[in-house]
Amino acid sequence: MTLTEHDTAASGLPEAGWGNLWPHFTRLGGRSTPVITRGEGTYIWDDRGRKVLDGLSGLFVVQAGHGRREVAEAMARQAADLAYFPVWGYATPPVVQLAERLAAAAPGDINRVFFTTGGGEAVESAWKVAKQYFKLTGRPLKHKVISRAIAYHGTPQGALAITGLPAMKQQFEPLTPGGFRVPNTNIYRAPEHGDDPVAFGLWAANRIEEAILFEGPETVAAVVLEPVQNSGGCFTPPPGYFQRVREICDKYDVLLVSDEVICAFGRHGTTFACEKFGYVPDIITCAKGMSSGYAPIGAMLTTDRVAEPFLRDKVMFPHGYTFGGHPVAAAAALANLDIFETEGLNRRVLDNEGAFGDTMRTLLDLPIVGDVRGDGYFWAVELVKDKDTKESFTTEERERLIRGFLPKALFDNGLYCRPDDRGDPVVQVAPPLISGQAEFDEIERILRHTLTEATSLF
């Protein structure tokens, strides 16, 4: 279901205000909402007993599937031994073990792990560490961050300033100053080079250099990019794009931050997606799939070079979170990563991503489907009013389609996924990594039926 201002499907919750609950990214004045009571494997059930395929892994989170008792048991054991202790000058065994495991899986010399409780906090931490890094190394003016249009990087004031979605920011302005935008890699609506992915990738990457030069290299601290951009609908990187971005960042001494809150932990078939797309960043931000959602945990990982100034005498990074590096959450993450290894989930995604993509692309025969794009287990279907001209829907039509019809219709038809129009209207799917062809076929069947119904709205 859409997570951008939506009316919700019917359920047993009160019609007016849902009692005491204030849901996230949801219209309080909307209809009542489903109550999800349990999950098993790739499916969830609501309080009416309806069985629904979880085509979004909760929120790009439940990589190993629902109902993994081995994870719950690991959490219970840790809670019995030590339920909580902070990492403010102390450590616990699961946090140390998890840091070692993440560093071992990260590319290059990314060896330092700073734990948070979620992705927005990880992005916030990355910007703060970049600012302090340049102050410690004698370049105090470097504080600005460049990100892409329509990209979402979180809701804290700093992370929101990096986010490239004006409508999400207007109610909270003024924000932290210093965020600047460049074009994204939506080749379906490319301004030029649309028929040449390599040329388009070079064009898009060079806009980053242009922005750095315009703002002044002495003022730019970081470039923050998702390997595959979520908001807007799964914008994949053109060939050579990240290699050129890495060159640009090195040339102007700008830190490259790979925001992998969604893309890490197998979503694209590798622990960290930057490895799949052939670049080594200076900082990685991650969360979501680290524990498959069994406990809230995120992290910022840095290279030895970024960490070095903080190792100096009497230097401290004055930043942290009460529940960052929570021992029970770390135990959940360790158990989750054990499942990745024993069941070969990364390999499973790489082996099946072609079949998933082929299955999704069969939807291109529908008149309402303009584009199907994605990578790994992360795909989007862009919806259009006119397939030949790529004409999109009006504001009123989007309201009717994305918020009024699709969320309830998809759920009623047996699929939980994400209609979204923060960019052009799309439906996104990202099932648990334990999914296979049976789940791909079910996703395609329900999408086909529901989108065929949607054409009658116009």
Side-chain angles (χ1 to χ4, degrees):
M1 296 169 61
T2 181
L3 299 176
T4 55
E5 294 187 344
H6 65 284
D7 291 335
T8 50
S11 163
L13 284 178
E15 288 288 333
W18 309 347
N20 302 113
L21 177 64
W22 192 328
H24 298 195
F25 285 102
T26 306
R27 293 174 178 175
L28 283 178
R31 299 186 299 272
S32 54
T33 184
V35 178
I36 308 304
T37 58
R38 71 183 183 95
E40 188 68 32
T42 59
Y43 290 91
I44 54 174
W45 283 260
D46 71 4
D47 61 343
R48 296 182 177 182
R50 291 184 294 185
K51 180 182 178 182
V52 177
L53 178 62
D54 183 357
L56 201 66
S57 302
L59 188 57
F60 314 106
V61 171
V62 190
Q63 319 291 63
H66 298 278
R68 304 302 298 241
R69 293 190 177 276
E70 56 266 62
V71 181
E73 289 166 357
M75 295 170 67
R77 287 193 299 270
Q78 180 58 47
D81 289 341
L82 179 67
Y84 173 76
F85 208 78
V87 293
W88 297 41
Y90 297 86
T92 62
V95 169
V96 171
Q97 293 164 21
L98 182 58
E100 291 174 347
R101 199 156 178 176
L102 295 178
D109 66 341
I110 297 176
N111 291 313
R112 286 282 174 170
V113 182
F114 181 94
F115 285 109
T116 67
T117 60
E121 291 177 354
V123 173
E124 194 87 358
S125 302
W127 193 0
K128 290 178 76 173
V129 86
K131 288 180 179 180
Q132 189 176 357
Y133 167 79
F134 284 114
K135 286 179 172 61
L136 292 171
T137 55
R139 290 156 291 174
L141 295 181
K142 290 177 81 71
H143 69 284
K144 297 175 183 175
V145 176
I146 293 169
S147 60
R148 294 185 292 206
I150 311 178
Y152 173 79
H153 294 285
T155 55
Q157 287 287 91
L160 193 57
I162 299 173
T163 289
L165 293 158
M168 290 193 67
K169 301 191 281 189
Q170 290 169 355
Q171 302 302 319
F172 312 109
E173 293 174 330
L175 300 172
T176 304
F180 298 88
R181 238 61 60 206
V182 294
N184 57 48
T185 60
N186 182 5
I187 196 167
Y188 178 64
R189 297 188 178 277
E192 54 183 292
H193 308 303
D195 57 348
D196 186 342
V198 174
F200 174 61
L202 182 62
W203 174 87
N206 283 340
R207 302 290 73 73
I208 295 174
E209 181 175 35
E210 187 178 83
I212 291 172
L213 290 172
F214 183 79
E215 292 299 324
E218 71 282 0
T219 71
V220 179
V223 171
V224 179
L225 307 172
E226 295 169 281
V228 174
Q229 183 173 318
N230 167 41
S231 185
C234 299
F235 300 152
T236 56
Y241 173 79
F242 273 112
Q243 291 68 37
R244 176 61 182 143
V245 172
R246 180 72 270 181
E247 290 176 359
I248 293 166
C249 289
D250 289 341
K251 181 177 180 180
Y252 299 105
D253 196 14
V254 172
L255 300 181
L256 175 56
V257 180
S258 188
D259 182 359
E260 306 206 11
V261 172
I262 287 176
C263 294
F265 305 109
R267 186 53 55 190
H268 298 281
T270 50
T271 301
F272 295 106
C274 57
E275 180 181 359
K276 183 176 187 180
F277 296 111
Y279 67 99
V280 178
D282 301 290
I283 298 174
I284 295 174
T285 57
C286 58
K288 293 187 183 290
M290 190 190 306
S291 71
S292 280
Y294 285 78
I297 190 167
M300 171 191 68
L301 289 71
T302 74
T303 60
D304 291 337
R305 177 173 75 96
V306 172
E308 187 279 328
F310 296 89
L311 299 175
R312 299 171 187 173
D313 187 43
K314 297 181 181 179
V315 172
M316 178 184 69
F317 182 37
H319 176 66
Y321 301 98
T322 298
F323 295 109
H326 194 288
V328 175
L334 288 167
N336 177 57
L337 295 178
D338 285 343
I339 292 172
F340 269 74
E341 291 184 5
T342 58
E343 299 185 9
L345 294 187
N346 284 341
R347 184 72 256 169
R348 181 181 181 86
V349 171
L350 294 175
D351 289 344
N352 286 284
E353 63 176 343
F356 191 18
D358 289 343
T359 304
M360 292 295 296
R361 279 187 284 267
T362 64
L363 296 168
L364 285 166
D365 66 354
L366 297 176
I368 198 173
V369 174
D371 192 29
V372 175
R373 53 184 178 259
D375 181 86
Y377 275 28
F378 188 31
W379 286 81
V381 178
E382 181 167 334
L383 307 179
V384 294
K385 187 160 64 172
D386 188 305
K387 200 180 186 81
D388 294 330
T389 65
K390 302 183 184 180
E391 180 187 359
S392 192
F393 298 93
T394 66
T395 300
E396 294 76 14
E397 290 167 340
R398 290 185 183 201
E399 178 74 19
R400 197 177 344 147
L401 177 66
I402 297 297
R403 281 168 282 279
F405 175 75
L406 284 176
K408 184 177 187 302
L410 286 163
F411 194 86
D412 287 347
N413 289 334
L415 178 63
Y416 164 74
C417 59
R418 188 186 207 186
D420 188 20
D421 66 343
R422 289 175 293 180
D424 292 294
V426 298
V427 177
Q428 287 180 291
V429 291
L433 309 188
I434 59 173
S435 303
Q437 190 60 52
E439 288 77 18
F440 305 158
D441 289 341
E442 187 172 359
I443 289 169
E444 191 275 343
R445 176 181 59 79
I446 296 172
L447 283 174
R448 176 174 294 277
H449 174 74
T450 308
L451 293 177
T452 299
E453 289 183 322
T455 59
S456 65
L457 299 173
F458 307 103

